[in-house]
Structures are given as structure tokens and as C-alpha cells.
């Protein structure tokens, strides 16, 4: 059955990291419930894990699309993701995805979506969409306070004088943050990628937060960018029915559990999870 009839179609392009893919996918699920048909684009190595997170009821309205990166000697297909990627190859991955712009252009031409939603490391995606007369909107999925701080630093050429004193960096932290923002791939610094992604967004910027939590940063980002900033909520994944972790939590007493995060791209084995649960480590 073709579910696209009389529905707006959206092409989504998250960065190749699970910490970005997950909120993009949750946003896709929410949009699909509001009469949108979603094309969710990523590399083949990422798609199996994405497919596992899509409920059966959502498979008709969320369609996965493969984006093939060029073959590079130091970047085989298993490294077309940040999961397990050696840190020194991160600039190579950013370069490779930009080298895939002809393939992405063909995807847009073939699908002809009504809208592109793109991530903050990929301002080039907006240019490609524009060349096909497709509007593009930036979705910033990390913490909004960091986005406001980075944009402030870029536009004011200073890490200081941020209007919210609870967010600041110490002098000894400045070189590390500066190095992070000046990390370069294919002639473009990461800090500039953030700024350009916001600047190129069509009228609005989507952010993963809510007014009650980060309303002051929403207002400041709006003032800095001149864009309407729309919070889409925390985008917490719904647990699958019968999921092992959920069943275990249901058996625990209230306030008896400590949550420990190893990051979005470290996946504990069953044995490691059992060791954690039994307090062996």
C-alpha cells in the first residue's frame, strides 16, 4: 500500500551517529502520526539498527533510504558510522559524506520530498535541497544551551559575556573548546558547520527541548539567529513491549535504581549487563 497519497513527504538526514539518529527517528515517528510520510536517510551500516527501532505500525510511514559514501582505503563501509570509528578517522568520515553529495542529490531528485530536515554537521545538505527547489530545515538535537553558547561565541568572537552566568567555561577549558570548534574537515571547521546550518535553515530551527526547561536559551537563539526556534520536546523513545530492560525495571522498588550512561554508542553485551546488575563491577 502506498501511504504517501495526500501526505506531505519529509526527507531526514541525521549525522552518522546514534546520538543523532535516535532523536531524528523519534521526531520521524511523531511526524508520521501527523500525516507525514518520512524518508529516513543513512548509510547501509546504520540502517539495520535503525530498522530494529521502528515499530511495525510505523513501517508504512517511515521508509529507510540508503546513502552510499565513496569507497576510501582508510574508510571501509563498516566505518561509515561513528560507532566503532577510530577517533583519528572522524575528519575522514566528514569528508566522505560530503563527497557523497552527488548521491544525495540523486536521492532528492528521485524522492522529490516536500521538505528536508538536516543535522548540524551537514550545512551542504541545504544547498543541495535548494538546488532542487526543496525547502530545508535544521534540527539541532544536542543540548540547546550548547547551541546558544556556540553561536554566541561565533558571532561575538568570544567565549565570554554569555548572558546566562550558569553557563561558562574556565580559562584552562578555553583551548580545548576552541580546538573542538576549529576541528576541520574538507576545509570547513566544526564551529562554522553549526553556524552555517542555522543560518541556512528555512525560516525556522527545530530544537530537541521544551520551553519549561530551556525557554531562556530558546529566546536567545532566536535573537541571535533571527529564526523562529521551535521546540519539539525531549523525544524520549517509547520502550518496546516486552523489552528486557523494561521488564527488569518493573520489578524494582521505587527509587531503588541508579541510572548509568556509557554514551549512545557503547553497547553492553548481555554478560556486561548482568555484571552491572549484579554489582560485580
Amino acid at each position: 500500500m502506498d501511504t504517501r497519497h495526500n501526505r506531505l513527504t519529509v526527507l531526514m538526514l541525521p549525522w552518522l551517529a546514534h546520538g543523532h539518529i535516535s532523536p531524528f527517528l523519534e521526531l520521524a515517528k511523531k511526524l508520521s502520526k501527523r500525516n507525514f510520510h518520512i524518508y529516513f536517510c543513512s548509510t547501509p551500516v546504520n540502517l539495520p539498527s535503525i530498522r530494529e527501532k521502528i515499530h511495525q505500525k510505523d513501517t508504512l510511514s517511515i521508509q529507510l533510504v540508503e546513502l552510499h559514501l565513496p569507497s576510501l582505503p582508510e574508510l571501509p563501509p563498516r566505518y561509515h558510522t561513528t560507532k566503532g570509528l577510530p577517533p583519528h578517522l572522524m575528519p575522514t568520515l566528514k569528508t566522505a559524506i560530503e563527497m557523497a553529495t552527488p548521491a544525495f542529490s540523486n536521492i532528492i531528485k528521485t524522492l522529490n520530498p516536500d521538505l528536508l530536515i538536516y543535522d548540524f554537521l551537514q550545512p551542504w545538505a541545504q544547498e543541495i535541497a535548494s538546488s532542487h527547489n526543496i525547502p530545508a530545515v535544521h534540527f539541532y538535537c544536542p543540548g540547546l544551551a550548547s547551541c546558544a553558547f556556540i553561536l554566541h561565541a561565533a558571532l561575538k568572537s568570544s567565549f565570554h559575556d554569555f548572558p546566562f552566568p550558569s553557563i561558562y567555561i574556565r580559562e584552562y577549558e578555553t583551548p580545548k573548546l576552541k580546538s573542538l570548534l576549529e576541528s576541520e574537515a574538507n576545509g570547513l571547521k566544526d564551529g562554522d558547520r553549526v553556524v552555517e546550518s542555522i543560518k541556512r535553515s528555512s525560516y525556522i530551527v527545530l530544537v530537541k527541548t521544551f520551553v519549561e526547561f530551556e525557554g531562556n536559551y530558546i529566546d536567545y537563539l532566536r535573537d541571535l539567529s533571527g529564526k523562529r526556534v521551535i521546540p519539539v520536546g525531549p523525544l524520549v523513545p517509547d520502550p518496546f513491549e516486552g523489552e528486557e530492560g523494561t521488564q527488569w525495571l518493573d520489578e524494582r522498588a521505587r527509587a531503588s535504581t541508579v541510572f548509568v550512561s556509557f554514551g549512545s554508542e557503547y553497547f553492553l553485551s548481555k554478560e556486561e549487563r548482568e555484571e552491572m546488575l549484579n554489582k560485580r563491577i
Side-chain angles (χ1 to χ4, degrees), residues 215-236:
N216 52 348
Y217 302 118
I218 291 173
D219 293 341
Y220 190 55
L221 182 60
R222 178 200 61 210
D223 294 341
L224 286 174
S225 66
K227 310 280 185 180
R228 183 182 176 195
V229 180
I230 299 179
V232 297
L235 299 177
V236 178

Side-chain angles (χ1 to χ4, degrees), residues 7 26-36 38 55 57-58 61-62 238:
R7 305 181 78 179
E26 293 309 310
L27 179 59
K29 293 175 183 178
K30 289 184 178 295
L31 291 174
S32 71
K33 293 179 174 62
R34 289 165 173 78
N35 206 36
F36 289 88
I38 308 298
H55 290 268
K57 59 184 174 61
D58 295 321
S61 53
I62 300 177
D238 294 326

Side-chain angles (χ1 to χ4, degrees), residues 24-162:
F24 264 77
L25 184 57
E26 293 309 310
L27 179 59
K29 293 175 183 178
K30 289 184 178 295
L31 291 174
S32 71
K33 293 179 174 62
R34 289 165 173 78
N35 206 36
F36 289 88
H37 183 88
I38 308 298
Y39 298 109
F40 200 91
C41 186
S42 193
T43 51
V45 69
N46 278 329
L47 293 185
S49 62
I50 297 172
R51 189 174 289 110
E52 291 175 358
K53 295 182 175 71
I54 301 177
H55 290 268
Q56 182 62 37
K57 59 184 174 61
D58 295 321
T59 55
L60 292 178
S61 53
I62 300 177
Q63 181 177 340
L64 301 184
V65 178
E66 292 186 350
L67 175 63
H68 292 275
L69 306 191
S71 296
L72 301 175
E74 66 274 34
L75 199 74
R78 72 177 184 276
Y79 284 158
H80 292 176
T81 175
T82 61
K83 180 186 175 183
L85 182 73
H88 73 278
L89 289 179
M90 183 64 76
T92 307
L93 181 61
K94 293 173 185 174
T95 298
I97 194 171
E98 292 187 19
M99 291 172 64
T101 52
F104 186 68
S105 181
N106 286 335
I107 288 172
I108 289 186
K109 182 178 179 180
T110 301
L111 299 179
N112 192 31
D114 295 295
L115 176 70
L116 168 69
I117 299 179
Y118 64 97
D119 211 335
F120 77 87
L121 286 175
Q122 293 141 202
W124 50 265
Q126 182 276 336
E127 288 188 357
I128 296 175
S130 180
S131 71
H132 293 280
N133 297 313
I134 305 294
V137 168
H138 172 47
F139 173 35
Y140 189 86
C141 57
L144 182 59
S146 67
C147 179
F149 186 84
I150 291 170
L151 191 59
H152 168 92
L155 297 180
K156 309 289 186 182
S157 300
S158 172
F159 293 123
H160 305 292
D161 301 321
F162 191 59

Side-chain angles (χ1 to χ4, degrees), residues 209-264:
T209 189
F210 46 96
V211 172
E212 294 81 0
F213 184 54
E214 291 186 298
N216 52 348
Y217 302 118
I218 291 173
D219 293 341
Y220 190 55
L221 182 60
R222 178 200 61 210
D223 294 341
L224 286 174
S225 66
K227 310 280 185 180
R228 183 182 176 195
V229 180
I230 299 179
V232 297
L235 299 177
V236 178
D238 294 326
F240 277 71
E241 185 176 349
E243 196 168 20
E244 181 182 351
T246 303
Q247 291 178 341
W248 183 88
L249 285 171
D250 287 341
E251 298 170 357
R252 307 275 73 77
R254 183 180 178 85
S256 66
T257 304
V258 176
F259 175 74
V260 180
S261 173
F262 292 91
S264 60

